[in-house]
Amino acid sequence: MAERSDRAPARWRRPLLRWLDGVEAGWAVPLLIACFVAVWTLYLAIAYAGGGLHPDTLEAWTLGRNFAFGYHKHPPLMGWIAASWTSVFPLSDWSLQLMAMVNAGFALVFVDCVARQFVSGHKRILVLLLLMLTPAYQFHAQRFNANAVLLALWPLATWCFLRAFETRSAVWAVAFGCSTALAMVGKYYSIFLVTSFAFAALAHPARRAYFTSASPWISVVAGLAVLSPHIDWLATTGASTFTYALNHANGNAVSSLGDVTNFLLGLMAAISVAAGLWVLIAGTRLKQFPADFAAMSPGLRLLFYGAIGTIVLPVLTSLAMGTDLPSLWALQGLFLFVVLIVCGARYPVERFYTVNVTVIVAGVALVAILVAAPIHAVYRNSHGYEEGRNLYAQAAGELTRQWRELTGEPLSAVSGDDSLAFATAFYSPDHPHYARPFEHQYDWGLPRQTTLDRGWAALCFRGQDYCGRWMEWVSARAGTFVRREFTVQASLWGPGLTRDVIVLMVPPRSKRDSSPESASQDFSASKRSLE
């Protein structure tokens, strides 16, 4: 059937076949990736209409507002990217949703750069299509955070490694060192990829030629040069990111074994649809797998060693140190296995199958946009999210209104529940700064006096007991303050759920000092009315 279809294709297949003809002409792959970014950005805009951005994305933007070579919880790259993006694009949901999907689009671009080292024509398209059927490039990508930035960085580093190993040129050696350093300032989990590269180079038959050249040492120097500002930050600030990371190392042998099992099962589930389609495409030719594996090209064998390392090394680390091991930490490496399977098949794959997979990918996208996204938006309007993200804009807007009514000035600083504080900084027209230093993010201490003097507000949802207790403690020590409550409601295509918000406001000292008697009366009245 496949051969007959390629000889005499149905009319509806002909435009897709002409598109596949454009792969080597250079326009088919960019068109596919551009459509992917546009379609899934539209999905996010519909599915999360009125839903607000994920707290991780808001945290990345909040970090990036204050440039630094490191932050308390995470390496700095996600903050740099968010800050760079919003210096050009507006502060809006669609803008950061587009940022997340552009990151996923670059991931697919770099995967294609890896794949075309081994195959040409429509097999390159097939690699991308199979990856588009994994959850990594849509649902994982939309939650832009330290994990999501690795979607693009891991294939970029892999491509540079392959070229540096093969050519041993200074340019590719520098590119390899810089890309791996960027992956490390994305998330320290990338050490597994870097170690896998070293293992792959040592296991490869051409290892002597590579290690006796200048290439690996140029890469090391370039990588350390890029990393040096962050290393200096770690040395001068007490390496708090490592402390935060080590908080995940609190398990035992039994819990680690369970985490490893879930890690492997999660990765298998994530790639199961792509694997199932490949089985249907290969059919009886799967019997050739042992022969294809034995005849694997040197470049693919290098990739194989690296791929195995990205799975084995985290598993061994988890078992040895008792660390958490969620499969979300490894979704960015799934492309390695798809490239290996598709590019390692020595038999030709008929374009019939690539067209079929294209139709499946397009069908999934259309169902997601036309059916799943509106249903998700309506459901969340009435049922909400645990973190309350479909009420972020309303809470930020009402707090800003009350603050301006009270002080006549823009709101400059906010804290409280982290998710609400990040959201208020983003959605408030005043864009106040997140006031709690990140090194004290979980201490729930008293705001600094300078912060209180400039004016400060905090907010929590009712029912967040930890936040409510902190507000009571701050109120007892803050002196003059205003404590209020209001109700916010989701309102997408009709009334939705409601939640109560508790706010604590400390006006600027200039407002308190300018008219102490009237101010004191106003604040006391507000305080009594809510006690």
Side-chain angles (χ1 to χ4, degrees):
M1 180 186 296
E3 294 179 1
R4 185 167 63 251
S5 177
D6 279 353
R7 288 195 306 269
R11 180 174 299 178
W12 67 268
R13 289 179 174 271
R14 292 171 189 169
L16 294 174
L17 291 172
R18 285 195 292 272
W19 165 61
L20 293 180
D21 290 336
V23 173
E24 297 307 315
W27 60 269
V29 170
L31 177 61
L32 172 65
I33 295 174
C35 289
F36 171 83
V37 171
V39 164
W40 285 100
T41 301
L42 179 59
Y43 166 82
L44 294 177
I46 297 172
Y48 295 95
L53 294 168
H54 193 280
D56 284 3
T57 305
L58 295 171
E59 181 181 31
W61 173 78
T62 301
L63 287 170
R65 298 182 75 184
N66 300 299
F67 178 82
F69 288 111
Y71 301 108
H72 175 66
K73 281 171 56 177
H74 301 295
L77 187 61
M78 70 174 186
W80 295 349
I81 293 173
S84 299
W85 182 271
T86 52
S87 68
V88 177
F89 292 89
L91 288 179
S92 63
D93 287 2
W94 71 262
S95 171
L96 269 70
Q97 288 162 348
L98 177 62
M99 177 188 71
M101 295 317 301
V102 166
N103 177 61
F106 273 114
L108 294 171
V109 168
F110 295 133
V111 169
D112 181 63
C113 290
V114 174
R116 70 185 180 191
Q117 302 297 306
F118 310 108
V119 293
S120 60
H122 70 100
K123 263 194 170 182
R124 287 169 52 191
I125 292 285
L126 188 56
V127 170
L128 299 181
L129 292 172
L130 291 175
L131 285 173
M132 288 177 185
L133 291 170
T134 68
Y137 299 89
Q138 309 91 352
F139 307 110
H140 175 56
Q142 65 95 12
R143 182 177 171 174
F144 187 83
N145 57 17
N147 296 313
V149 297
L150 301 185
L151 282 173
L153 287 171
W154 276 35
L156 172 61
T158 301
W159 177 42
C160 293
F161 170 62
L162 292 172
R163 298 298 293 146
F165 189 92
E166 178 184 352
T167 66
R168 295 187 287 281
S169 73
V171 172
W172 282 110
V174 170
F176 174 46
C178 292
S179 59
T180 52
L182 284 176
M184 287 298 296
V185 294
K187 193 163 189 180
Y188 298 144
Y189 188 93
S190 296
I191 190 63
F192 296 127
L193 180 70
V194 178
T195 307
S196 297
F197 287 151
F199 166 73
L202 288 169
H204 197 273
R207 56 185 172 272
R208 180 179 294 275
Y210 178 64
F211 284 107
T212 54
S213 73
S215 179
W217 317 115
I218 292 174
S219 297
V220 170
V221 172
L224 288 175
V226 173
L227 276 176
S228 58
H230 182 61
I231 293 173
D232 178 70
W233 179 88
L234 289 171
T236 56
T237 60
S240 57
T241 45
F242 282 105
T243 303
Y244 177 78
L246 289 175
N247 289 334
H248 294 281
N250 53 9
N252 51 44
V254 175
S255 64
S256 295
L257 187 60
D259 283 341
V260 166
T261 301
N262 292 333
F263 172 77
L264 297 175
L265 290 176
L267 293 180
M268 291 170 61
I271 206 169
S272 59
V273 174
L277 280 177
W278 179 253
V279 169
L280 294 176
I281 291 169
T284 58
R285 293 176 293 192
L286 281 175
K287 294 184 294 185
Q288 297 179 220
F289 178 78
D292 289 347
F293 181 81
M296 189 180 289
S297 69
L300 279 175
R301 194 163 295 278
L302 196 67
L303 203 64
F304 170 74
Y305 294 142
I308 294 302
T310 62
I311 300 298
V312 172
L313 289 174
V315 166
L316 293 178
T317 302
S318 178
L319 293 174
M321 298 181 61
T323 61
D324 299 340
L325 194 62
S327 55
L328 285 175
W329 290 357
L331 288 181
Q332 68 276 353
L334 289 179
F335 78 94
L336 292 163
F337 298 92
V338 174
V339 170
L340 281 168
I341 294 298
V342 176
C343 299
R346 301 178 66 202
Y347 46 83
V349 175
E350 296 81 359
R351 296 197 300 173
F352 168 85
Y353 294 111
T354 304
V355 170
N356 287 353
V357 178
T358 302
V359 172
I360 292 172
V361 170
V364 169
L366 286 174
V367 170
I369 290 174
L370 300 177
V371 180
I375 291 174
H376 179 272
V378 171
Y379 175 82
R380 288 302 187 182
N381 185 60
S382 56
H383 291 79
Y385 302 81
E386 181 181 356
E387 65 271 19
R389 57 192 279 194
N390 52 338
L391 299 167
Y392 283 167
Q394 297 91 317
E398 179 60 18
L399 172 61
T400 303
R401 187 193 67 78
Q402 294 200 20
W403 174 268
R404 289 181 177 180
E405 181 182 83
L406 179 70
T407 68
E409 294 185 0
L411 177 61
S412 61
V414 65
S415 57
D417 172 68
D418 273 345
S419 296
L420 267 176
F422 296 150
T424 301
F426 184 85
Y427 289 108
S428 167
D430 294 341
H431 301 300
H433 282 271
Y434 175 76
R436 186 182 305 150
F438 273 88
E439 61 268 27
H440 304 301
Q441 189 175 2
Y442 302 111
D443 292 349
W444 291 97
L446 187 71
R448 290 172 296 188
Q449 188 59 47
T450 54
T451 300
L452 296 176
D453 289 344
R454 289 194 297 264
W456 165 88
L459 69 174
C460 320
F461 283 120
R462 178 174 291 282
Q464 294 178 319
D465 294 338
Y466 60 92
C467 190
R469 288 193 297 270
W470 171 76
M471 277 193 171
E472 292 176 1
W473 182 70
V474 173
S475 299
R477 291 163 174 77
T480 305
F481 67 91
V482 175
R483 180 185 172 98
R484 292 180 180 170
E485 297 183 18
F486 55 81
T487 301
V488 288
Q489 182 173 35
S491 57
L492 177 68
W493 305 325
L497 86 161
T498 61
R499 290 185 72 173
D500 295 329
V501 179
I502 303 170
V503 300
L504 189 68
M505 296 182 284
V506 177
R509 177 169 291 278
S510 60
K511 293 294 180 181
R512 287 176 271 166
D513 293 344
S514 61
S515 180
E517 293 184 3
S518 60
S520 177
Q521 292 170 2
D522 287 343
F523 299 153
S524 299
S526 298
K527 183 179 176 183
R528 282 197 303 270
S529 66
L530 292 166
E531 284 180 343

